[in-house]
Amino acid sequence: EGFSSVHFFLSLYRFQACIYFASVFQAMSCGIHYLASVFMAVTPNFVCGIPGNVSSVLFYNSSESSIEDIWTLWTSTENYIVVQLENGEIWELNQCSRSKREVGLDVAYEYKGNKSIFSCSDGFLYDDTKWKSTVVTQWDLVCDREWLAKLIQPTFMLGVLIGAVIFGDIADRLGRRRVIWFTSAGQFVFGIAVAFTFDYYSFVIVRFLLAMVSSGYLVVAFVYVTEFVGIKARTWASMHVHAFFAMGIMVVALVGFLVRTWWAYQIFLSIATLPFVLCCWMLPETPFWLLSEDRYEDAQKVINIMARWNKVSTPCKVSELCSVQQDDLVSGRTGDNDTSSTKKHNILDLFCNWHIARRTITVWLIWFTGSLGYYVFSLSSVSLGGNEYLNLFLIGAVELPCYIIACIGMDKLGRRNTLIPFLILSALICVLIMFIPQDFNILIILANMAGKFSIGVAFGLIYLYTAELYPTIVRSLAVGSGSMMCRVGSVVAPFCVYLRSVWIFMPLLLVGIMALLSGILTIMLPETLGKPLTNTLVEATEIGRSKKSCSGKTPPAHSGATLEKIEMFGQETVSTEK
């Protein structure tokens, strides 16, 4: 049967619905902080500072009394401004240097005489018609310090990578609830602290910590919500976490439009996390984690609360679930050596033969391409022309329908048959944008929205597809390694966007090539729609119709029946896995 977004919301019982929407609401703050730098670290027009009081300003044929009146005429970084000081000196102001005319009686824009060139020792003058203050204007991150501004987003994404690894592991050790508490409070505290940093280096360090807790929350939130919703709703539940992340991008555009001072802008963005911080302490630990730690009484308390909220008179008993698990363990070990169940697996198991290795390389490439394309389209949206705030808002809004399309496509067409056309479509859109004249702003924006839509479908789909392509014994390893490639793509994306200075279409060319290559390689991946999850590398290899096998037998997944019952705690029926 088909499963729609409406069915998803109806399938959530009262307790699960409260848990779900409380958790995904905070995912908006992750989208906010991930993209906050697009306005906070923008570089406005600027020229060298003036070594005295100005009496007149000349820009081509326009004469003004102040430099502020010149900015509306500024069209290129190659432009310069001629100023006459009250002491009679005439200076030419460029972006990264200034020159004093040796002889000059009348103020003229063109000058062929001798000049003395000086550095910008008096600072810089910035165009504040759009942004009253940014971190670039605050700490003069221009000219020979421009590279510092370009490191702001990559260092944040590096924090995202490290945070995902650290907090994912901590959540398995200490529990999901504690990590959600800490990362939620951390997002608020570090978010506010960013606004009060005193120099560039403290700003980058605090933003790095903010990136770690934001990434940590997003990773753990995925696990947290999927452990509370049922099997049928799991795909839609994970997809809608992405949707709330996209809503965070839309909030960035709205706040950026309303607040033009970077530190106030940062404070307003951080306040968005406050409601959840005040109530997140009420969230319970997941029964999955409690049972894995043998905390049966605590698990039973959570089950009873769920049953009470959902108005179920006979909740599940932990003792029943434990007996099921023990039966599965015994049956799973029959005919197999105990050593097989304790065999340790590592990253090399993802390359155990040619078929699995080819699958792993393709999956990693899709993860990398999805992340690269996602952030290239998002970060580039403010440079498309027109209203940059509206551009970013639309780039975020276009994600909302794309995840619905991804879910429908996965259920109707299959994972691979949905992934291939959208990857190739994103590559074609990248090529199409190159042929659109630059003065067709609306058409360019629409094409970029289409590119973000297509790459968003692929990006959202790969999470579930990766989990289905690999067996139980290395499934977490496969998804985790793919996620690492995703983080690498997010670190590379800002540098890719900076290549616009080399050639305006260079970022699109790189994304297009990667998307096309990924789409072609995806053809060789097996379809997993309607197929049972595999338990061993042998079974996973056979999905690709290969006769070769890998070592690494394991007993059947012993916790399957237990997990199915836990997933539907407080509900009146128990689902069976397809």
Side-chain angles (χ1 to χ4, degrees):
E1 295 179 359
F3 194 79
S4 67
S5 184
V6 175
H7 289 113
F8 161 63
F9 291 114
L10 292 177
S11 70
L12 295 179
Y13 277 57
R14 184 186 304 173
F15 184 88
Q16 286 90 332
C18 291
I19 292 294
Y20 180 80
F21 287 108
S23 302
V24 298
F25 172 80
Q26 182 70 355
M28 283 198 301
S29 67
C30 300
I32 286 172
H33 294 305
Y34 276 43
L35 272 296
S37 67
V38 294
F39 297 130
M40 185 165 52
V42 70
T43 302
N45 295 323
F46 67 94
V47 292
C48 263
I50 307 169
N53 296 323
V54 177
S55 62
S56 63
V57 180
L58 183 65
F59 184 74
Y60 286 103
N61 297 324
S62 299
S63 180
E64 304 290 346
S65 58
S66 66
I67 292 182
E68 286 73 17
D69 300 324
I70 294 295
W71 294 123
T72 55
L73 306 174
W74 191 273
T75 57
S76 171
T77 57
E78 303 298 325
N79 294 152
Y80 63 90
I81 297 174
V82 178
V83 297
Q84 185 175 33
L85 306 185
E86 291 180 350
N87 61 9
E89 294 179 353
I90 300 176
W91 289 76
E92 292 182 8
L93 306 179
N94 295 285
Q95 285 203 321
C96 296
S97 66
R98 58 187 178 178
S99 56
K100 178 184 176 182
R101 294 180 179 179
E102 299 296 340
V103 179
L105 300 177
D106 298 324
V107 179
Y109 195 75
E110 299 292 340
Y111 177 74
K112 303 297 184 181
N114 295 328
K115 304 176 186 178
S116 299
I117 300 177
F118 298 87
S119 62
C120 300
S121 56
D122 292 295
F124 300 87
L125 299 174
Y126 296 96
D127 177 9
D128 61 358
T129 54
K130 283 188 176 181
W131 299 280
K132 298 300 181 184
S133 172
T134 71
V135 295
V136 172
T137 64
Q138 180 87 15
W139 297 304
D140 289 335
L141 305 180
V142 293
C143 297
D144 58 341
R145 287 167 57 85
E146 181 183 9
W147 66 276
L148 293 174
K150 291 185 175 182
L151 282 179
I152 290 175
Q153 188 65 18
T155 53
F156 183 92
M157 290 302 181
L158 182 62
V160 168
L161 190 155
I162 296 175
V165 175
I166 292 177
F167 287 106
D169 180 64
I170 293 176
D172 287 338
R173 297 173 183 270
L174 302 181
R176 287 78 164 102
R177 183 175 63 166
R178 290 180 181 177
V179 173
I180 284 179
W181 287 356
F182 179 80
T183 54
S184 299
Q187 284 188 82
F188 178 74
V189 172
F190 291 133
I192 296 294
V194 167
F196 294 95
T197 49
F198 52 87
D199 63 7
Y200 169 80
Y201 298 101
S202 62
F203 170 82
V204 170
I205 291 172
V206 177
R207 282 256 304 169
F208 183 86
L209 297 175
L210 176 61
M212 289 181 62
V213 294
S214 297
S215 173
Y217 179 86
L218 199 59
V219 169
V220 177
F222 270 106
V223 177
Y224 188 76
V225 298
T226 53
E227 288 183 352
F228 270 111
V229 301
I231 294 173
K232 287 186 177 180
R234 182 169 294 162
T235 300
W236 286 83
S238 63
M239 284 294 186
H240 281 77
V241 176
H242 289 291
F244 277 84
F245 184 94
M247 291 174 64
I249 298 176
M250 297 162 67
V251 171
V252 170
L254 179 61
V255 175
F257 175 75
L258 297 174
V259 184
R260 305 300 178 90
T261 303
W262 79 266
W263 57 268
Y265 161 84
Q266 177 65 29
I267 290 175
F268 276 102
L269 290 179
S270 300
I271 289 176
T273 67
L274 186 58
F276 183 79
V277 173
L278 297 177
C279 68
C280 68
W281 60 272
M282 294 185 293
L283 294 177
E285 185 56 80
T286 67
F288 275 109
W289 186 82
L290 292 173
L291 289 176
S292 70
E293 296 293 311
D294 296 333
R295 292 170 56 180
Y296 302 115
E297 292 184 3
D298 292 332
Q300 187 64 60
K301 290 178 182 179
V302 176
I303 295 169
N304 294 337
I305 293 173
M306 296 174 69
R308 203 159 48 242
W309 273 64
N310 295 334
K311 297 181 179 180
V312 175
S313 57
T314 55
C316 295
K317 300 295 182 181
V318 168
S319 57
E320 299 174 0
L321 297 173
C322 293
S323 64
V324 172
Q325 186 178 29
Q326 291 299 322
D327 292 341
D328 286 345
L329 276 168
V330 172
S331 63
R333 287 177 178 172
T334 303
D336 288 298
N337 294 326
D338 289 348
T339 56
S340 64
S341 63
T342 59
K343 183 181 183 296
K344 299 294 183 180
H345 295 276
N346 55 49
I347 197 73
L348 296 179
D349 288 304
L350 301 180
F351 298 88
C352 65
N353 67 26
W354 166 242
H355 296 279
I356 296 294
R358 184 178 61 188
R359 184 179 305 176
T360 299
I361 293 172
T362 302
V363 167
W364 282 4
L365 185 63
I366 297 170
W367 277 92
F368 178 85
T369 302
S371 180
L372 179 70
Y374 182 93
Y375 287 106
V376 165
F377 280 115
S378 297
L379 296 173
S380 300
S381 62
V382 295
S383 305
L384 298 178
N387 189 306
E388 56 268 27
Y389 305 103
L390 180 60
N391 293 351
L392 184 63
F393 185 88
L394 294 175
I395 284 292
V398 77
E399 287 188 56
L400 303 182
C402 95
Y403 296 129
I404 297 176
I405 296 298
C407 289
I408 295 174
M410 282 193 292
D411 291 340
K412 299 294 184 181
L413 303 177
R415 284 70 160 125
R416 183 186 63 180
N417 295 337
T418 302
L419 188 59
I420 293 172
F422 279 102
L423 281 172
I424 295 178
L425 177 62
S426 61
L428 295 177
I429 291 173
C430 288
V431 175
L432 175 64
I433 294 174
M434 298 181 191
F435 291 94
I436 301 177
Q438 289 300 294
D439 53 345
F440 285 48
N441 287 338
I442 296 178
L443 193 57
I444 291 175
I445 294 169
L446 291 176
N448 274 269
M449 288 177 63
K452 176 70 178 294
F453 179 94
S454 58
I455 205 71
V457 171
F459 195 27
L461 187 155
I462 191 59
Y463 283 83
L464 179 63
Y465 193 28
T466 302
E468 294 177 340
L469 284 172
Y470 291 88
T472 304
I473 57 175
V474 292
R475 185 170 296 124
S476 294
L477 187 63
V479 176
S481 63
S483 180
M484 287 293 291
M485 293 304 298
C486 166
R487 309 303 175 192
V488 172
S490 65
V491 173
V492 173
F495 294 108
C496 186
V497 173
Y498 298 148
L499 291 176
R500 285 174 60 93
S501 60
V502 178
W503 184 41
I504 191 172
F505 296 123
M506 184 64 76
L508 291 174
L509 179 62
L510 295 177
V511 172
I513 291 174
M514 297 297 293
L516 181 62
L517 179 61
S518 300
I520 294 174
L521 291 178
T522 303
I523 297 174
M524 295 183 288
L525 293 179
E527 180 55 69
T528 59
L529 177 63
K531 296 182 179 179
L533 295 177
T534 57
N535 288 323
T536 66
L537 288 165
V538 175
E539 295 173 0
T541 304
E542 289 174 353
I543 295 179
R545 297 181 180 179
S546 171
K547 295 183 179 180
K548 295 182 180 179
S549 63
C550 303
S551 61
K553 283 188 177 182
T554 60
H558 61 266
S559 58
T562 306
L563 301 188
E564 289 168 8
K565 289 198 173 198
I566 296 173
E567 286 169 344
M568 303 302 288
F569 273 151
Q571 301 181 24
E572 298 183 23
T573 59
V574 178
S575 300
T576 56
E577 190 173 1
K578 290 182 180 179

